[in-house]
């Protein structure tokens, strides 16, 4: 009887410990649009372009709506705010960025996400995601290079919601960093044949940017609705 009682007590204690443990212990940032644009420390979106929270009208509830007006080239958020302060990413850190996106157009050639370097960077944007002529594309860009390495591409449609998770291990050498990608919850095979691409992914400092940047032709209005933003240290944190 005593052994059964002790066993039951141990089981109960273990269950209580599990229940008290957070489900996502390594989540760094929850960018829920219901919290407003203060989840971003910087907005680079001059008027008449805008970043606002709005109802998605497609069942996603409140989302961020980035509107890059015709005539402008950029409407982006930069970085993430944790505890009211700009979060400092670090060389050697592992980061998973997760979000959902709906685009008003998939024509032309424009940027929807960047792992951008600041300041005085040799590697302007180590990892960058673009849309071109109906396809979403992920690139790695080496230091000082105008030659981008296409890591992955998939067709997308205007008005359709898709989910992305980019995993980055920040490394300042070609052998110490890596990139992963999940598309609609599925790990993707990248250039080279694996799900993880080894590459330099860190410069003087780096931050994520979401939105729309039409670097070659700003004549078209682009609306990028973004939802369910999260940042963690593993895919399990955000997936």
């Amino acid at each position: 009887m005593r052994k059964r009682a002790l066993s039951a007590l141990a089981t109960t204690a273990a269950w209580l410990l599990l229940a008290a443990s957070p489900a996502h212990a390594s989540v760094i940032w929850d960018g829920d649009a219901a919290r407003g644009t203060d989840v971003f420390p910087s907005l680079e979106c001059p008027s008449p372009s805008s970043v606002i929270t709005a109802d998605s009208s497609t069942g996603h509830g409140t989302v961020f709506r980035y509107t890059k007006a015709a005539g402008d080239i950029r409407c982006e958020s930069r970085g993430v705010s944790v505890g009211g302060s700009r979060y400092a990413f670090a060389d050697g850190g592992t980061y998973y960025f997760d979000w959902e996106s709906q685009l008003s157009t998939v024509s032309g050639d424009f940027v929807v996400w960047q792992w951008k370097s600041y300041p005085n960077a040799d590697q302007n944007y180590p990892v960058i995601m673009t849309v071109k002529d109906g396809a979403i594309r992920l690139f790695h860009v080496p230091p000082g290079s105008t030659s981008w390495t296409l890591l992955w591409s998939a067709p997308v449609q205007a008005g359709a919601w898709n989910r992305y998770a980019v995993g980055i291990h920040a490394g300042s050498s070609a052998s110490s960093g890596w990139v992963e990608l999940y598309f609609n919850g599925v790990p993707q095979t990248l250039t080279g044949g694996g799900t993880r691409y080894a590459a330099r992914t860190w410069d003087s400092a780096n931050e994520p940017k979401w939105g729309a940047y039409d670097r070659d032709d700003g004549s078209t209005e682009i609306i990028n609705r973004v939802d369910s933003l999260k940042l963690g240290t593993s895919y399990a944190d955000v997936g």
Side-chain angles (χ1 to χ4, degrees), residues 96-117:
Y96 282 79
F97 304 93
D98 185 82
W99 72 97
E100 294 180 80
S101 172
Q102 181 206 54
L103 295 163
S104 63
T105 179
V106 293
S107 299
D109 184 3
F110 57 94
V111 176
V112 293
W113 183 83
Q114 302 184 58
W115 177 237
K116 176 78 166 144
S117 303

Side-chain angles (χ1 to χ4, degrees), residues 29 40 44 51 66 75-80 89 97-101 111-114 164 207-213 224 226 229-231:
W29 173 73
F40 306 114
E44 299 177 356
V51 184
Y66 298 79
C75 181
E76 296 177 295
S77 59
R78 170 186 163 186
V80 304
F89 295 89
F97 304 93
D98 185 82
W99 72 97
E100 294 180 80
S101 172
V111 176
V112 293
W113 183 83
Q114 302 184 58
Y164 307 91
E207 291 186 314
K209 300 184 78 175
W210 286 272
Y213 173 39
N224 186 4
V226 176
L229 284 155
K230 288 187 177 64
L231 167 62

Side-chain angles (χ1 to χ4, degrees), residues 193-231:
T195 57
R196 179 174 290 180
Y197 182 81
R200 187 181 193 266
T201 55
W202 181 262
D203 205 275
S204 53
N206 286 88
E207 291 186 314
K209 300 184 78 175
W210 286 272
Y213 173 39
D214 197 352
R215 61 196 184 282
D216 293 324
D217 178 10
S219 63
T220 302
E221 180 186 77
I222 299 170
I223 299 174
N224 186 4
R225 292 178 173 86
V226 176
D227 190 23
S228 304
L229 284 155
K230 288 187 177 64
L231 167 62

Side-chain angles (χ1 to χ4, degrees), residues 145-160:
S145 178
T146 57
S147 177
W148 297 11
T149 300
L150 177 63
L151 302 183
W152 170 87
S153 179
V156 290
Q157 296 181 338

Side-chain angles (χ1 to χ4, degrees), residues 13 15 49-50 52 69 80 85 88 90 94-95 99 110 113 126 137 141 189 214 217 221 229:
W15 183 89
S49 296
S50 62
I52 64 171
V80 304
S85 299
T94 301
Y95 308 106
W99 72 97
F110 57 94
W113 183 83
R137 307 181 302 167
V141 185
T189 300
D214 197 352
D217 178 10
E221 180 186 77
L229 284 155

